[in-house]
Amino acid sequence: MGECAICHSKSAQISDALGLCAACIMADTPQARRTAAAAHARARGRFQLPPRPPRARQGIRCRRCINSCRIDTGQVGYCGVRSNQQGRLTGGDAGSAAVQWYHDPLPTNCVADWVCPASGPAGYPEFTDTRGPEHGYFNLAVFYEACSFDCLFCQNWHFKAHSVSGPRHSASELAAAADRQTRCICFFGGDPSCQMDHALAAARLARGRRNNRHLRICWETNGSMSRAALEEMAELSLESGGGIKFDLKAWDDSLHRALCGVSNRRTLKNFEYLSGWTSRRPDPPLLIASSLLVPGYVDADQVGRIAEFIARLDPAIPYALLAFHPAFQMSDLPVTSRQQAMACLAAAEGAGLGRVRIGNLHLLA
């Protein structure tokens, strides 16, 4: 049973780690901002990550993502992987990234599997040679161990232990893992946004070595990367038959900052920009959206407003609603209830979206 530090309401849907209810967060008072900032500082401190994006007056600007860190000599950026080494920014480039990968049998449990060539007839025959699941082939799942956000509910939070120090690999090493049985490469994490130079280099190398085999390039991202990087991502996915899945974590910016540590403005602008590409390849869809239904915070109102935004851009964009499982700093929250999921589904469909589904049905309470 959590308690809000401002209104002192108590509920099983208030996380003690954050110490704020959704209503007080969205009131966006100075006290609410300070309370949320302190929660993120505590969560990040255990991994030696900066409590906020650095703004060193004499530092070097990193422009890889929304944070635009100004990093002092010997220091790291908000992501933990970009650093200033004697006046030169390093990390996350083609030579070295905090990244791991594995081969995942197709069809896999990708959030976009329901609209993907690996699972069905989407994109046949240009981007797959099967009308059904691509049994016997693999997805090269590429997990970047750094992130431009700081989600207190992160389902994959263990990566933070490797952001500042941990295994590093080159783009060439990664590309070499795309063997003859690899049908797609999916970049996720963490998030690829702060190591985009590495991801783009690896994707181009792997595509160049494919010898006319099907090799789709896909992304799962918070969408906070630079516009130039987004365009390169989109070109690779467009030509290869892959997709770009944006995590739209909340609509209200104050709620997004409280939950994720960072504004969602860059994400929404990038999503809007990329929606202008969807007509260039309707099948399989280039752009997919998802939202995690965090009890007490990401409810039918938030989902409905996200869905209205998507529908205004293109009502055919697929939207997946994902059940929440207690994790990381919000391990005290309950799992998403069936009632909440159904209400969010109705809100998304009521906003005019034609392709909405609930994922992780087995997790619903």
Side-chain angles (χ1 to χ4, degrees):
M1 185 73 68
E3 180 176 353
C4 178
I6 296 178
C7 70
H8 299 292
S9 59
K10 296 182 179 181
S11 170
Q13 296 192 349
I14 296 175
S15 172
D16 260 337
L18 180 54
L20 293 167
C21 68
C24 288
I25 289 171
M26 289 187 283
D28 203 24
T29 62
Q31 183 181 356
R33 290 195 177 205
R34 287 194 300 270
T35 302
H40 285 280
R42 289 193 300 271
R44 295 175 65 79
R46 60 187 284 200
F47 300 103
Q48 291 76 54
L49 291 167
R52 62 189 64 83
R55 298 284 182 261
R57 183 170 297 181
Q58 302 301 318
I60 302 177
R61 178 82 72 185
C62 177
R63 304 184 185 277
R64 296 297 186 274
C65 71
I66 186 176
N67 295 314
S68 289
C69 296
R70 192 178 288 277
I71 308 169
D72 209 349
T73 301
Q75 302 299 310
V76 298
Y78 190 73
C79 65
V81 76
R82 298 282 289 163
S83 64
N84 180 341
Q85 300 296 327
Q86 298 180 335
R88 187 173 70 90
L89 284 181
T90 63
D93 52 23
S96 175
V99 62
Q100 302 291 326
W101 57 84
Y102 57 94
H103 289 89
D104 200 7
L106 293 174
T108 183
N109 62 346
C110 168
V111 172
D113 65 347
W114 53 305
V115 293
C116 172
S119 301
Y124 178 85
E126 185 175 0
F127 302 115
T128 180
D129 55 10
T130 69
R131 290 185 180 273
E134 291 180 332
H135 294 298
Y137 293 96
F138 295 87
N139 163 46
L140 181 60
V142 181
F143 191 102
Y144 281 102
E145 298 183 307
C147 193
S148 48
F149 284 5
D150 184 54
C151 299
L152 297 177
F153 51 75
C154 184
Q155 307 287 290
N156 296 316
W157 61 273
H158 300 85
F159 76 84
K160 294 175 183 288
H162 288 163
S163 296
V164 176
S165 61
R168 296 295 192 262
H169 300 282
S170 70
S172 182
E173 287 179 84
L174 171 55
D179 59 22
R180 293 184 59 83
Q181 298 304 112
T182 302
R183 279 292 177 93
C184 50
I185 304 176
C186 181
F187 298 96
F188 68 118
D191 201 87
S193 55
C194 39
Q195 302 191 86
M196 194 56 71
D197 291 358
H198 184 276
L200 290 169
R204 286 192 291 262
L205 281 170
R207 286 279 294 166
R209 299 170 182 171
R210 73 186 188 282
N211 295 322
N212 295 319
R213 290 180 289 109
H214 292 294
L215 183 62
R216 299 177 297 272
I217 304 298
C218 300
W219 312 81
E220 292 189 7
T221 178
N222 61 34
S224 69
M225 71 289 296
S226 69
R227 179 62 56 81
L230 179 63
E231 289 175 346
E232 289 192 58
M233 290 166 56
E235 290 288 359
L236 281 163
S237 292
L238 191 67
E239 70 178 16
S240 69
I244 302 176
K245 195 270 290 181
F246 271 53
D247 292 320
L248 303 181
K249 299 174 188 292
W251 175 258
D252 184 274
D253 190 59
S254 59
L255 181 61
H256 196 279
R257 282 186 276 107
L259 294 176
C260 307
V262 174
S263 171
N264 64 357
R265 289 172 184 161
R266 171 76 65 82
T267 297
L268 295 178
K269 286 181 180 178
N270 277 342
F271 189 92
E272 182 174 7
Y273 171 75
L274 197 55
S275 71
W277 292 50
T278 57
S279 61
R280 296 169 61 177
R281 198 202 67 203
D283 179 52
L286 174 66
L287 181 59
I288 304 100
S290 70
S291 294
L292 186 66
L293 306 181
V294 184
Y297 297 98
V298 183
D299 57 11
D301 177 66
Q302 290 292 307
V303 167
R305 292 162 77 183
I306 291 171
E308 288 172 359
F309 164 71
I310 298 172
R312 287 196 300 270
L313 301 173
D314 182 350
I317 293 173
Y319 185 30
L321 306 176
L322 305 178
F324 168 86
H325 185 272
F328 194 39
Q329 299 299 295
M330 291 187 156
S331 59
D332 56 339
L333 292 180
V335 298
T336 303
S337 68
R338 188 167 295 274
Q339 180 181 10
Q340 179 189 357
M342 293 301 112
C344 289
L345 176 64
E349 292 178 337
L353 292 182
R355 290 197 279 183
V356 187
R357 74 175 303 200
I358 300 174
N360 302 342
L361 280 167
H362 63 286
L363 292 179
L364 295 178

